[in-house]
Amino acid sequence: MLTSKLEVLVDFGPKVDAQVLDKTLNELKSHDGVKEAVFKDGAIMVDTSLPSSRVLEMVMNTSGKRAVLQGFGETQSAVAMISSQACCNSRVLGVIRFQQSTEGPLVADGSIDGLPSGLHGLHVHDTGDLSQGCGSIGSHYNPHGSSHGAPSDPPHCRHAGDLGNIVADEAGRATFRIVDDVLKVWDIVGRSVAVTERRDDLGRGVSPSSKEDGDSGSPIACGIIARSAGIFQNPKRICACDGVVVWDEKDRPLAGKGRRVEDREQKRCCQKETEEDHMRPCCKV
């Protein structure tokens, strides 16, 4: 089973409680899908085939401490912050991380909240243009000029960006880990990834759009794919863009309402937009 290495920061405080640390490491090692769990350079390093969000939940539930994913993968990595791109009523939010494994396949590891329950298509698109939200990200990434298909199909029978379906539970959360043999991290940085309103029929349907997009409908959330840090490559504990420290960031949304003190000004702007039906610059997230 292909595994990924995760660097998990845990808010142990000024001094690590050895008993809590041992309990957390032993809990992780007891789960199928966890190959290794060790404490190294102030963080827990986990070698696992499980989705990173599941690992974080295990760490937090066992230790009783806050935890964040600081690094993902030993080799080239990328990340996309997913949202529905709406100004004031953005409901879909999530993160998808990509890792180029040394064995060859790409791993797409994600957790997305706010989705309608059920199946939703997941695709990498041509461009990272969000000037018109998810309406300007182009078609599926398709360097081979193929028709739409399933992730299990050979390259000439699928778009390179076809990653199949993810499943949202009744609470609207989709947690997934996809291993793909066609995509490469260096080919998708600067492009975008999107989640669609309906399930992807994988090119097997009777609809005219089946061979174009799996009859999966329009994207309901998307984000630009950017380079990111692998394990032990990011020593930062504060976001320079908005001054939010790593533990504060854990309890705040990725963007929008509640992110910064200035959100009060954004709220007034959004209220004005609702009244005038016109988007203001300070209202974008």
Side-chain angles (χ1 to χ4, degrees):
M1 177 68 72
L2 182 66
T3 61
S4 300
K5 290 188 177 180
L6 315 180
E7 178 191 356
V8 180
L9 287 182
V10 184
D11 188 11
F12 284 120
K15 184 177 180 180
V16 177
D17 186 320
Q19 289 186 334
V20 173
L21 175 60
D22 288 343
K23 178 183 177 183
T24 303
L25 294 177
N26 290 333
E27 174 65 20
L28 287 168
K29 293 174 185 177
S30 71
H31 285 265
D32 290 337
V34 175
K35 183 178 179 181
E36 183 181 28
V38 297
F39 189 64
K40 176 183 176 182
D41 296 340
I44 295 177
M45 193 280 289
V46 186
D47 192 2
T48 181
S49 59
L50 300 175
S52 61
S53 58
R54 280 194 59 192
V55 173
L56 284 174
E57 287 175 2
M58 283 190 279
V59 170
M60 290 187 288
N61 290 339
T62 305
S63 68
K65 309 291 185 180
R66 295 181 294 182
V68 294
L69 186 62
Q70 180 80 349
F72 181 81
E74 286 187 290
T75 54
Q76 296 188 58
S77 301
V79 64
M81 303 297 185
I82 302 297
S83 77
S84 48
Q85 299 298 317
C87 170
C88 303
N89 298 303
S90 182
R91 294 186 176 88
V92 181
L93 286 173
V95 180
I96 303 177
R97 294 178 173 87
F98 301 90
Q99 174 214 352
Q100 189 63 53
S101 69
T102 55
E103 292 87 346
L106 174 142
V107 175
D109 176 290
S111 179
I112 303 174
D113 290 302
L115 294 168
S117 61
L119 292 169
H120 299 272
L122 182 70
H123 313 109
V124 172
H125 286 248
D126 265 330
T127 73
D129 179 6
L130 299 183
S131 60
Q132 299 176 44
C134 298
S136 52
I137 59 177
S139 302
H140 294 178
Y141 175 51
N142 186 22
H144 305 292
S146 309
S147 59
H148 181 78
S152 58
D153 290 338
H156 65 279
C157 294
R158 58 165 274 193
H159 301 153
D162 292 344
L163 291 176
N165 289 296
I166 58 176
V167 184
D169 60 22
E170 292 183 357
R173 164 165 281 201
T175 299
F176 53 91
R177 187 177 187 272
I178 298 169
V179 177
D180 189 79
D181 291 315
V182 175
L183 279 179
K184 304 295 181 185
V185 162
W186 48 81
D187 290 330
I188 63 175
V189 170
R191 303 185 190 279
S192 59
V193 60
V195 181
T196 59
E197 59 184 338
R198 299 195 298 270
R199 65 179 289 273
D200 186 336
D201 69 17
L202 309 179
R204 273 64 163 172
V206 297
S207 168
S209 63
S210 178
K211 292 297 184 181
E212 296 178 6
D213 61 10
D215 192 35
S216 56
S218 301
I220 57 174
C222 59
I224 298 172
I225 302 169
R227 295 188 186 279
S228 68
I231 58 171
F232 303 111
Q233 293 178 356
N234 182 14
K236 293 183 178 180
R237 298 294 184 269
I238 187 169
C239 179
C241 59
D242 54 20
V244 178
V245 298
V246 66
W247 301 119
D248 289 339
E249 187 172 45
K250 176 69 180 67
D251 300 320
R252 299 188 189 187
L254 295 172
K257 183 178 180 181
R259 176 68 180 180
R260 296 185 296 178
V261 175
E262 291 88 340
D263 289 333
R264 285 176 294 181
E265 178 61 30
Q266 177 168 314
K267 182 177 180 180
R268 287 194 293 270
C269 173
C270 290
Q271 289 173 340
K272 191 172 184 181
E273 177 201 350
T274 302
E275 294 169 0
E276 299 179 1
D277 194 26
H278 181 73
M279 181 172 289
R280 302 296 186 187
C282 69
C283 213
K284 296 179 181 179
V285 297

